[in-house]
Amino acid sequence: MAGLLFVDHTVWLVLQAVQTMVARRIDGDLRARVRLQATRLPGLDWLESPEFQDRAAQAVDVGMGLGWDRSAGGAATGQLRLTFRMLSALAATALLATFSAALAIGLLAVSLALRASVRREWIGIVDRLDADTAGQRYHNYLSEQAVFFAAKDVRLFGLSPWFAGRFRALGMGTYGPVWRQLLAVLRRQWWAATLTVAAAGAALGLPAAAVLTGSLDGARLITYVLAAWGVMAISAMGLEAYDIEHGRRAIAAADDLAAHPVAAGSAGHPVPAAAPTIRFEDVVFTYPGATRPVLDGLTLTIRPGETVALVGTNGAGKTTLVKLLGGLYRPESGRITIDGVDLATLDLPAWRRRLAVLFQDFVHYPADLRENVAYAAPERIDDAAVRTALEQAGGAALLAGLPSGLDTSLWNEGTDGTDLSGGQWQRVALARALFAVAAGRHVLLLDEPTAHLDVRAEAQFHEAVMSNVGDATTILVSHRLSTVRSADRIILLRDGRVAEEGSHAALLGLGGDYARFFTLQAEAFTANATTEGVR
């Protein structure tokens, strides 16, 4: 007996370790599938949609609502546990049938019916939870904002009570219906408890009565009672039932993502080897959920090697034009051509390797300085080229001041990480774009490149950067009209179309919106300069 107990405990420990290992490997595979699906998407339309966000959250949910992970590995191991439980119940049924076939079959039928009914009601709670996946995502987002991303505002403005109150209110709104349904299920379990008591009475009473009447040997009583108990054990909702259901939902969500058609982009017409002619032909584009198009019949031609500045009020479509040119979105109607070939039919990855893009909300990579510059052209990581790009972007002093030079980690959450100021990060991002141009990118897209620079640094940027783009076509988006004066052509967008077009001098002579905006900005700058001089 001691030996059997030792073996039993040893096997249990081994099974626990193996179960954990198997579950984690399966979960890792599922998460890898979701990540691969996300990275394979050629554009942002499906990636940014609520449907994709909900399915991705369901595939990798960590069990915030009911404290139960959606683990595909847990579902697999849970299915094995359930299989063995079912086999044990069948074996117990066969043993009990040697005493009474009617009692054995009746207990098994009642136990399976109880299990199916209870499972249906309890698993219905998961349906209620899945009905508001967006609420769960927002609840998690609010928590991250309070603890990490909005930490400065929380302390400076005393927002802790606001965040705490919003967090509680959102939690009640999102999870309150789930817990109310849970309580309702508990209240409806009286009939299941009654039926269980009746079945238990039969399981205990019939063998006992047989012993009292002498039709059953008393030594066999405990055998049949334990066998009956083994049959009834299958009626209990073990933990594996929840593991299976939650994991099944995760797998279904991942399968839904995989089933979504992914637009082709890995093959198509070859891209031009040099700076191409880019043309927007009556392009219309509306963001999902918006009621008005951002671009509404835009027609524009950008010639090879030309520096074109895009200006206009907020929402005029400047950044959207850049995103469409990068293939992040597709026009609703019209087309964008590259040397006469529709962008939709080009080899999209190859086309993107011809672009150097700097958005206003550029990424701060959790990596060293070298990689933060060279990621714009990862196929060419060369220290000399990185240093040259930093110098051209006005970052020589920044490089000299860092403790480990190019090896300095810019991940400020790391042990030896170094954070940069907004202007310094802007220079790193500019160096990233120039590095890409030096690596052979023929189209440079700059979306508000001097947003974090002062006026003097802005002037240095245009003197140093714009003189180092070579033959690349440059598209510059800016609200500061002083930064676009040297452009070959200035395009003013209004209502999603080209409203004014020409050189700086020509547009001033036209006396339209550009001239009015430029005059207002110049007057504000003159007033600020006068005030600073008086001080």
Side-chain angles (χ1 to χ4, degrees), residues 109-169:
V110 169
S111 298
L112 291 178
L114 279 171
R115 179 182 179 85
S117 177
V118 172
R119 179 188 177 279
R120 183 174 61 254
E121 291 203 10
W122 280 95
I123 298 304
I125 298 173
V126 183
D127 295 328
R128 177 61 65 90
L129 189 65
D130 286 347
D132 191 14
T133 302
Q136 298 172 59
R137 290 194 290 109
Y138 184 45
H139 194 253
N140 187 48
Y141 167 80
L142 194 66
S143 175
E144 292 178 346
Q145 287 291 315
V147 176
F148 298 108
F149 305 113
K152 294 191 296 292
D153 288 27
V154 168
R155 285 153 180 79
L156 290 174
F157 303 135
L159 296 179
S160 293
W162 182 90
F163 269 102
R166 177 62 67 89
F167 189 80
R168 286 193 298 269

Side-chain angles (χ1 to χ4, degrees), residues 30-39 41 46-62 70 130 133-134 136-137 140 249-258:
L30 180 68
R31 285 166 170 77
R33 284 172 51 195
V34 175
R35 285 194 297 269
L36 180 62
Q37 178 70 13
T39 55
L41 296 172
W46 170 235
L47 185 68
E48 293 178 346
S49 68
E51 292 81 7
F52 181 92
Q53 297 294 327
D54 285 350
R55 296 295 183 275
Q58 291 169 1
V60 296
D61 176 45
V62 294
R70 292 183 188 273
D130 286 347
T133 302
Q136 298 172 59
R137 290 194 290 109
N140 187 48
R249 303 293 180 93
I251 296 170
D255 289 343
D256 285 345
L257 293 178

Side-chain angles (χ1 to χ4, degrees), residues 280 282-285 292-300 311-318 320-321 324 491-499:
F280 288 75
D282 199 25
V283 170
V284 177
F285 178 78
R292 296 180 57 186
V294 179
L295 299 180
D296 191 8
L298 174 69
T299 298
L300 172 65
V311 299
T313 59
N314 290 330
K318 306 182 295 297
T320 301
L321 183 148
L324 288 174
I491 309 293
L492 186 141
L493 299 180
R494 186 196 309 125
D495 298 328
R497 298 183 179 184
V498 175

Side-chain angles (χ1 to χ4, degrees), residues 87-350:
L87 290 175
S88 297
L90 292 176
T93 302
L95 177 59
L96 184 60
T98 60
F99 165 69
S100 171
L103 177 61
I105 296 174
L107 283 181
L108 181 63
V110 169
S111 298
L112 291 178
L114 279 171
R115 179 182 179 85
S117 177
V118 172
R119 179 188 177 279
R120 183 174 61 254
E121 291 203 10
W122 280 95
I123 298 304
I125 298 173
V126 183
D127 295 328
R128 177 61 65 90
L129 189 65
D130 286 347
D132 191 14
T133 302
Q136 298 172 59
R137 290 194 290 109
Y138 184 45
H139 194 253
N140 187 48
Y141 167 80
L142 194 66
S143 175
E144 292 178 346
Q145 287 291 315
V147 176
F148 298 108
F149 305 113
K152 294 191 296 292
D153 288 27
V154 168
R155 285 153 180 79
L156 290 174
F157 303 135
L159 296 179
S160 293
W162 182 90
F163 269 102
R166 177 62 67 89
F167 189 80
R168 286 193 298 269
L170 186 61
M172 289 298 297
T174 301
Y175 300 114
V178 178
W179 290 103
R180 284 192 292 272
Q181 181 170 341
L182 187 149
L183 293 175
V185 169
L186 287 174
R187 287 193 294 268
R188 290 197 299 267
Q189 294 302 302
W190 63 268
W191 66 268
T194 302
L195 189 57
T196 301
V197 170
L204 295 173
L206 292 180
V211 171
L212 293 176
T213 60
S215 61
L216 177 65
D217 184 5
R220 304 282 292 171
L221 175 63
I222 189 63
T223 299
Y224 291 127
V225 168
L226 290 178
W229 222 249
V231 175
M232 294 185 61
I234 197 62
S235 66
M237 282 284 289
L239 299 181
E240 75 279 350
Y242 301 100
D243 288 336
I244 294 169
E245 186 63 25
H246 282 73
R248 188 182 67 82
R249 303 293 180 93
I251 296 170
D255 289 343
D256 285 345
L257 293 178
H260 188 276
V262 176
S266 59
H269 291 91
V271 299
T277 297
I278 301 170
R279 180 168 175 77
F280 288 75
E281 299 178 356
D282 199 25
V283 170
V284 177
F285 178 78
T286 305
Y287 283 104
T291 56
R292 296 180 57 186
V294 179
L295 299 180
D296 191 8
L298 174 69
T299 298
L300 172 65
T301 300
I302 301 173
R303 294 178 287 274
E306 187 178 23
T307 298
V308 174
L310 300 177
V311 299
T313 59
N314 290 330
K318 306 182 295 297
T319 299
T320 301
L321 183 148
V322 173
K323 291 179 179 179
L324 288 174
L325 185 57
L328 300 179
Y329 299 99
R330 291 196 174 195
E332 295 176 35
S333 61
R335 66 175 190 159
I336 304 170
T337 62
I338 310 299
D339 277 348
V341 179
D342 193 336
L343 177 60
T345 66
L346 282 181
D347 183 343
L348 190 55

Side-chain angles (χ1 to χ4, degrees), residues 122 178 183 240 304 357 393 448 469 501 526:
W122 280 95
V178 178
L183 293 175
E240 75 279 350
V357 185
E448 297 287 353
V469 297
E501 180 179 358
T526 302

